[in-house]
Amino acid sequence: MAQAPYSQTLDRGLRVLEALAATEEPMSIADLSRVINVHRSIVYRMVRTLEDHRLVTRRPDGLYELGLGIAALARSVRSVLQSAALPELSNLADDVGLTAFLVVPDGDEAVTLVSVEPQRTHVHIAYKPGIRHPINRGAPGIALLAGRPPSPGEAENVTTARARGWAYSQGEVISGMRSVAAPVVDRRGNVPASVAVIYVAEDVDPEKLGPRVIAAARAIAARLP
């Protein structure tokens, strides 16, 4: 069976957006050209087009970063789930003083949909939307699997998380980072997401975080139609 036509230009434009999303710093045309391995003149034309659609913006210093059009698109992704989650994520983040985030399944991967940082702490971990990792690695992914019915041969950490209602991981996605997560189970028994918090401190007790994360997950589920 013949493959569908492939758009090289669209692929390159998406890679520009991915490159800008993957870094904390703005990038030059030369930076982008090097990262996506495309000539600068081609990158410049793609960036100008993305600027016209407000997906990329040029700073006064000539460097480029993601534009506000990205935020408008992101708000439309699973908007009902985001609307239900944001108030509860804010409450959770402020209650425990840690960044809280919502993760959704995407095939065999877990993807961060939205995150909220605490307002009353001076030091905390930032965790950007769009981060993805294998669903069987890290507390958020394990929680997604634990919210589903048991399956033959499933990993022990999934079985354990299902029994206690929350999952814990350390250094499985980002070195040194710890996470506690719980599944969001809707009234139909589906698991559209998991709720998680992320931290570094060794003196934070996951046993105390677990019940609070479970409460947030249940509150989000109650808000879903």
Side-chain angles (χ1 to χ4, degrees):
M1 182 177 178
Q3 291 186 335
Y6 176 82
S7 172
Q8 185 181 60
T9 301
L10 178 58
D11 175 72
R12 288 171 170 174
L14 292 173
R15 287 164 59 199
V16 167
L17 295 177
E18 289 171 349
L20 291 171
T23 179
E24 297 288 342
E25 302 294 332
M27 301 177 73
S28 66
I29 294 294
D31 293 333
L32 289 167
S33 174
R34 182 175 61 257
V35 169
I36 71 171
N37 195 29
V38 174
H39 193 274
R40 285 193 228 182
S41 62
I42 298 174
V43 172
Y44 179 76
R45 290 197 298 271
M46 288 189 295
V47 166
R48 286 291 298 113
T49 301
L50 292 169
E51 272 190 283
D52 288 344
H53 291 274
R54 299 184 300 133
L55 300 178
V56 167
T57 186
R58 186 175 185 270
R59 293 160 30 118
D61 59 8
L63 300 179
Y64 291 88
E65 59 188 5
L66 293 178
L68 293 177
I70 291 289
L73 292 176
R75 285 195 299 270
S76 300
V77 177
R78 305 195 188 181
S79 58
V80 172
L81 182 56
Q82 287 198 56
S83 296
L86 280 171
E88 301 303 333
L89 290 177
S90 297
N91 291 338
L92 174 61
D94 287 337
D95 283 353
V96 301
L98 305 171
T99 296
F101 54 103
L102 190 78
V103 172
V104 297
D106 183 19
D108 292 333
E109 294 186 308
V111 184
T112 300
L113 182 64
V114 62
S115 68
V116 176
E117 298 178 22
Q119 299 298 307
R120 295 191 288 271
T121 61
H122 297 294
V123 179
H124 54 264
I125 304 299
Y127 201 74
K128 296 191 301 183
I131 292 175
R132 62 173 60 231
H133 56 82
I135 200 169
N136 62 353
R137 187 183 306 162
I142 295 167
L144 288 170
L145 296 174
R148 301 171 183 175
S151 60
E154 72 179 9
E156 183 179 351
N157 57 0
V158 175
T159 304
T160 299
R162 183 181 297 110
R164 67 187 177 189
W166 55 273
Y168 170 77
S169 66
Q170 178 180 346
E172 292 185 14
V173 177
I174 302 176
S175 178
M177 298 294 104
R178 305 165 192 258
S179 183
V180 172
V184 175
V185 183
D186 67 20
R187 65 192 67 189
R188 301 176 189 84
N190 299 319
V191 186
S194 64
V195 176
V197 292
I198 187 169
Y199 60 98
V200 178
E202 296 181 6
D203 59 350
V204 176
D205 186 357
E207 296 284 345
K208 294 181 178 179
L209 284 176
R212 181 61 185 87
V213 176
I214 290 173
R218 288 175 176 171
I220 292 170
R223 289 173 172 264
L224 295 175

